[in-house]
Amino acid sequence: MTALRILLPVLATASALGVDMLEKGWRTASGIATLAFLLGTVTTEIIASRRAKTAKLALESQRAEYLVTSFAAFGPLSNHMSLMAAAQTSRRRELAGPSLYAAAVAARSLVPVDGVRAALFYRTVEDGKDVFLPHPVYWVGRGDRAQSRFVRGEGEGIDVWNAADQGSQSFYPDIADERPPNMDMNRPRTYAGFATVPILAGDECVGLATINTLEPNQLTSEDVGTLWVIAALSGAILGMVGCKWPGV
């Protein structure tokens, strides 16, 4: 009975969060990882000590911390998206810019280490070739702007476009240890680890959400899960303005 009394609130939380994520159409990697962490913590506590009260308090503290962090990060983004949804079509494009910037801010704020940069890349065509370019406005973090450009079928763009076309992520927390096959290690760069996920509007990849760190192994799978959420919301924002990036 002790185990059930502790586990049932967690399962209820998992159900509520799961329904919420499904209703919003989010990628659920971040939610799944968080819930798995909560369940694992409770289970370990039960086995180790059987102290139900201690385990329950620990669980409530973790849940509260997660909810506070999530609200602080996603609150402004949610407000911007609500304004967009209620606005006339002619005004939505004006509101899309602040909403996308709020998405970049949310991505940066959920990785609690120094030297992080979050950036959104937009898809365009140059000289008849598909290319992802860093947006000149929608980036947040350390002072150096993103410099990479990813041309389909060329150099580093081969790996990036392959992942984008498959709707999959790229996650390399330490590029000195493991990196994409076509990454040019002779090119100067300021980051030691990165994650990239596609921004999808419907079935079309219209950009990338990226985050990188100065030091290796500072990004976790939970951070990548959060980045999926940011990318999904960015795609929803762009979908409301005909997939046209503001400011470019």
Side-chain angles (χ1 to χ4, degrees):
M1 286 299 295
T2 300
L4 284 176
R5 282 198 301 268
I6 297 174
L7 284 173
L8 283 176
V10 183
L11 294 174
T13 302
S15 176
L17 289 175
V19 168
D20 188 54
M21 287 184 290
L22 286 173
E23 289 177 347
K24 292 179 171 62
W26 295 354
R27 303 277 183 168
T28 60
S30 178
I32 291 171
T34 302
L35 295 172
F37 172 75
L38 294 175
L39 289 168
T41 300
V42 172
T43 303
T44 301
E45 196 70 27
I46 291 171
I47 295 173
S49 66
R50 299 284 181 179
R51 293 188 297 227
K53 183 177 179 179
T54 301
K56 183 177 180 180
L57 290 174
L59 172 62
E60 290 175 349
S61 175
Q62 291 158 7
R63 184 186 176 200
E65 182 180 354
Y66 173 78
L67 292 175
V68 168
T69 302
S70 296
F71 179 79
F74 286 104
L77 176 55
S78 175
N79 291 339
H80 281 295
M81 293 186 70
S82 296
L83 289 173
M84 281 192 70
Q88 298 291 327
T89 302
S90 59
R91 178 160 162 71
R92 284 182 176 175
R93 186 165 177 79
E94 178 183 339
L95 296 172
S99 298
L100 289 168
Y101 186 77
V105 171
R108 169 61 189 93
S109 65
L110 286 173
V111 183
V113 297
D114 294 331
V116 172
R117 182 182 65 212
L120 304 184
F121 282 62
Y122 67 99
R123 179 178 181 174
T124 188
V125 175
E126 286 188 347
D127 300 323
K129 296 181 179 180
D130 280 332
V131 59
F132 289 123
L133 296 176
H135 197 282
V137 176
Y138 311 136
W139 64 279
V140 180
R142 62 180 188 273
D144 60 314
R145 295 190 179 190
Q147 300 295 323
S148 300
R149 60 191 306 273
F150 303 113
V151 181
R152 183 188 291 276
E154 296 183 8
E156 296 181 338
I158 296 173
D159 303 315
V160 171
W161 277 97
N162 283 344
D165 289 339
Q166 295 169 16
S168 60
Q169 67 191 34
S170 296
F171 177 37
Y172 296 92
D174 183 0
I175 59 175
D177 179 59
E178 184 181 8
R179 67 194 70 89
N182 293 287
M183 190 172 201
D184 181 7
M185 294 303 289
N186 293 318
R187 181 170 69 86
R189 65 187 78 240
T190 59
Y191 58 87
F194 75 93
T196 300
V197 303
I199 297 174
L200 303 174
D203 294 329
E204 181 184 7
C205 180
V206 295
L208 305 170
T210 72
I211 192 163
N212 61 48
T213 61
L214 285 176
E215 300 296 330
N217 298 313
Q218 290 184 316
L219 286 171
T220 68
S221 58
E222 288 81 6
D223 299 328
V224 181
T226 299
L227 197 59
W228 273 111
V229 177
I230 300 298
L233 297 176
S234 299
I237 292 167
L238 291 164
M240 285 191 277
V241 291
C243 299
K244 296 180 179 179
W245 284 84
V248 293

